[in-house]
Amino acid sequence: MSVWVAEEVMRLALRLCSRRSSWTQSRFLTTVPVQHTSCPSLLSHIWATRQSRPSQVSLVKFYSQDNIQSKEKEVLSIPLIDSAIPAETSSENIHRADYFSDKVKKCASPSDVLDLTCQYACTVRQISNCLTHMWSTTKKMSDEQRTYEMQLMFEHPGFELLLQSATKNVVHMRSEDVAYALLSIINLGVPQRSRVVQTLLRTSQEKLNEFDEKSLSILASCLEHMESSPNASAMKDAMRVVVEAKLPRIKKVLSLQTMMRMLGKDAPLDLKKKLEKKALSMTDQFTLPNTQYMITTMATMGFYSKPLMDVCTKKITENLNGIPFGRLLSVLHSCKELRYRDLNLLTCISDYVTSTLDIWTNKQVHLFLSVFESLNFCPGALMEAYAKRVISFPDVLTLKDLLCVLRVYSSLNYDLQHHKEQFLDSLCQVLDSYLPKISAFNLLKSVYSLCLLGHFPSAPLEQLLQSSSIEQFQSARASVSDSGLVPSS
């Protein structure tokens, strides 16, 4: 009798295990550390599979938050698309796959892709391609259009089906497709604690040893911007071990930099030194964008390497014409974070901005001046050239521009010599125009900066000494004293 019971139990277990589970049970979706979920027992797996077996109707949106799972609300009444169609070995299947891929490439919005997936059953490979193309189309849109298209995407019934297919077939995806699918879904705005994201994340944990350099780089790019959660933290810890083990075999600079940024400031010092050594061995491969990215990567890691900085700054100073404003500014900010003050680099950038001053807007010049001030570097030629622009066109300065210029010029205490009086008169003219609407605190800062420059404007000083301004200062002092930040006397 016992032998017969044992055989029946084993037969039932094998039959249940042979069926593919779609992981709809909420216990598979909670964000728990990987050590609690990586090795479930056979019986618990069978029971979970049996409990979570879906009907032809999806009960919960796959992009809904965890706290919605308990509602068990029916949202779709159409059967799931079985994306695991037979392997594409015949010429007919290959032709169908190529035809579908060509159709996807012609789609101009996420909704177009979803319309296509409702007409044709996706293969496992095509699920990731569809999600990636949906994300790529949104990057080309304006903010307003992107918001509208994303709303249409979330309301489209095909989006639910596509996410269900991704969740159901993720175990059959290649590592690269899993990484791309996870990155695309997160960039499309699907909540990170949703079922589909957590399922992809868990599968990535299980397949992590199979990930090659490209897949690891994609996954690192995804993890860099993920919210803190038990699964995400467990994945980062696992990535740290895998990256360290595979470090000698990394061949691309960009892949290395992406992994460095993902590891961040929490990486152990010995691992940061190994990454530095690897980066130094690849300096002959550095392109101009690589050098800029390496400096910002070191700032993200909170790791200063003088040999790497010297290599990067040398290449940057030799190719300033090829660097756009945003990247140049980020390099300067990163130098500030790393407390790296290379006078040759700062002088070259200052001279370059001065020689091309006509192509920069006032806002861009102010940002350059501000970051130079934070680095305790006085760009004399740039300050001289910009002072002439202010003298010629003082009315273009906004109040924010005025406060920035006054702060920088007074802080760096640059002597404009024979242009000084004209420059200060121009600034006072702008300040007078803003007196009716300037706050007492901004007025105080402006007058303070002008006094440091040796200029004492009468109208701003009179307004500053009015009873209304003094009452604002007294009330502000009283509120600060009540908060306990400063003594009341």
Side-chain angles (χ1 to χ4, degrees):
M1 183 66 178
S2 61
V3 174
W4 179 83
V5 172
E7 289 179 352
E8 283 297 309
V9 170
M10 290 300 295
R11 183 175 61 82
L12 178 61
L14 290 173
R15 186 173 63 189
L16 291 173
C17 287
S18 64
R19 300 177 184 176
R20 190 178 303 157
S21 171
S22 61
W23 295 2
T24 56
Q25 187 72 10
S26 61
R27 68 191 297 268
F28 288 97
L29 308 174
T30 54
T31 54
V32 295
V34 67
Q35 59 264 27
H36 297 312
T37 61
S38 58
C39 298
S41 65
L42 176 61
L43 290 178
S44 64
H45 174 70
I46 294 172
W47 175 250
T49 305
R50 188 172 183 180
Q51 292 291 321
S52 62
R53 182 161 305 284
S55 64
Q56 295 289 2
V57 179
S58 171
L59 297 179
V60 184
K61 279 187 178 293
F62 275 54
Y63 52 86
S64 63
Q65 294 285 2
D66 289 340
N67 57 6
I68 304 179
Q69 292 173 7
S70 61
K71 294 183 179 180
E72 298 292 324
K73 183 192 300 184
E74 185 173 313
V75 294
L76 288 175
S77 59
I78 44 181
L80 304 182
I81 294 177
D82 186 6
S83 58
I85 63 174
E88 297 169 359
T89 54
S90 66
S91 59
E92 180 181 354
N93 285 334
I94 294 175
H95 176 72
R96 285 172 54 199
D98 291 341
Y99 176 77
F100 183 85
S101 298
D102 291 339
K103 296 280 284 184
V104 169
K105 291 177 183 178
K106 296 177 182 178
C107 294
S109 70
S111 296
D112 292 344
V113 179
L114 294 174
D115 290 340
L116 196 62
T117 60
C118 290
Q119 299 174 26
Y120 303 93
C122 300
T123 64
V124 174
R125 181 84 182 269
Q126 290 165 350
I127 294 172
S128 178
N129 291 342
C130 288
L131 290 167
T132 303
H133 189 75
M134 287 168 63
W135 169 44
S136 65
T137 57
T138 61
K139 294 191 294 185
K140 304 173 184 178
M141 300 176 182
S142 63
D143 293 340
E144 184 178 354
Q145 184 184 4
R146 185 183 300 111
T147 301
Y148 175 72
E149 289 292 343
M150 297 289 269
Q151 181 180 353
L152 291 179
M153 178 191 74
F154 275 95
E155 294 173 353
H156 199 295
F159 190 49
E160 170 74 6
L161 292 178
L162 185 60
L163 294 185
Q164 288 180 10
S165 297
T167 308
K168 180 180 178 181
N169 295 288
V170 63
V171 292
H172 305 295
M173 290 184 184
R174 303 180 312 159
S175 57
E176 182 178 330
D177 292 334
V178 175
Y180 267 122
L182 182 60
L183 179 64
S184 302
I185 287 173
I186 290 177
N187 287 332
L188 285 170
V190 177
Q192 294 184 15
R193 293 184 180 272
S194 61
R195 176 173 305 180
V196 61
V197 171
Q198 292 301 314
T199 303
L200 290 172
L201 193 59
R202 180 189 171 187
T203 305
S204 299
Q205 294 170 2
E206 296 171 351
K207 292 186 172 186
L208 195 56
N209 287 330
E210 304 172 12
F211 278 39
D212 57 12
E213 177 182 331
K214 182 178 181 180
S215 301
L216 284 174
S217 177
I218 299 166
L219 187 58
S221 178
C222 179
L223 290 172
E224 182 185 351
H225 304 290
M226 282 197 72
E227 301 169 357
S228 177
S229 69
N231 273 343
S233 300
M235 173 64 87
K236 288 183 179 180
D237 291 338
M239 281 282 288
R240 185 180 303 164
V241 176
V242 172
V243 169
E244 186 171 6
K246 296 188 176 183
L247 192 59
R249 298 193 293 275
I250 294 177
K251 297 180 180 180
K252 295 184 179 180
V253 178
L254 187 58
S255 297
L256 176 65
Q257 292 173 333
T258 305
M259 295 175 196
M260 290 171 68
R261 293 177 76 93
M262 183 275 301
L263 294 172
K265 297 180 180 179
D266 296 332
L269 183 60
D270 59 338
L271 178 55
K272 290 181 179 180
K273 289 187 176 294
K274 290 179 182 178
L275 292 167
E276 174 194 19
K277 184 177 179 181
K278 179 66 177 179
L280 287 171
S281 69
M282 303 172 74
T283 53
D284 58 330
Q285 303 178 35
F286 281 14
T287 62
L288 184 58
N290 287 152
T291 59
Q292 305 153 31
Y293 199 51
M294 183 58 75
I295 293 177
T296 56
T297 297
M298 283 189 283
T300 301
M301 292 188 69
F303 180 69
Y304 170 69
S305 169
K306 190 175 187 305
L308 270 179
M309 290 295 292
D310 290 344
V311 170
C312 294
T313 54
K314 184 176 184 295
K315 196 171 189 70
I316 288 173
T317 53
E318 293 173 353
N319 300 275
L320 284 172
N321 289 331
I323 305 177
F325 166 76
R327 292 183 184 176
L328 198 56
L329 192 66
S330 65
V331 165
L332 291 173
H333 280 296
S334 298
C335 289
K336 175 192 171 185
E337 290 185 42
L338 294 169
R339 298 182 181 179
Y340 177 80
R341 193 171 180 274
D342 185 289
L343 287 178
N344 182 53
L345 172 67
L346 298 178
T347 302
C348 288
I349 294 177
S350 170
D351 292 344
Y352 166 68
V353 176
T354 304
S355 63
T356 57
L357 188 61
D358 291 340
I359 69 172
W360 307 108
T361 64
N362 281 335
K363 182 179 180 180
Q364 290 173 327
V365 175
H366 298 158
L367 290 171
F368 276 127
L369 290 174
S370 294
V371 73
F372 283 136
E373 179 206 3
S374 66
L375 287 164
N376 294 319
F377 173 75
C378 181
L382 177 58
M383 296 179 76
E384 185 80 26
Y386 186 66
K388 294 179 181 178
R389 179 192 283 190
V390 172
I391 293 171
S392 302
F393 308 100
D395 295 336
V396 300
L397 294 179
T398 64
L399 179 58
K400 187 176 180 180
D401 296 339
L402 176 65
L403 293 172
C404 176
V405 171
L406 285 171
R407 188 193 74 248
V408 171
Y409 277 77
S410 61
S411 174
L412 295 176
N413 196 27
Y414 179 69
D415 186 8
L416 291 170
Q417 298 178 357
H418 58 281
H419 294 299
K420 181 177 180 179
E421 289 301 322
Q422 288 179 290
F423 177 67
L424 293 177
D425 288 341
S426 299
L427 293 180
C428 287
Q429 175 187 337
V430 178
L431 180 58
D432 289 344
S433 67
Y434 286 112
L435 285 180
K437 55 184 177 181
I438 193 171
S439 68
F441 299 100
N442 284 335
L443 180 60
L444 179 61
K445 289 189 290 185
S446 301
V447 171
Y448 175 72
S449 297
L450 286 169
C451 291
L452 288 178
L453 291 168
H455 197 73
F456 305 94
S458 57
L461 279 170
E462 289 177 2
Q463 181 166 324
L464 190 62
L465 296 176
Q466 289 179 359
S467 58
S468 59
S469 298
I470 296 175
E471 286 174 1
Q472 289 186 41
F473 297 137
Q474 289 176 341
S475 61
R477 179 179 175 82
S479 62
V480 173
S481 299
D482 292 340
S483 65
L485 298 176
V486 296
S488 57
S489 61

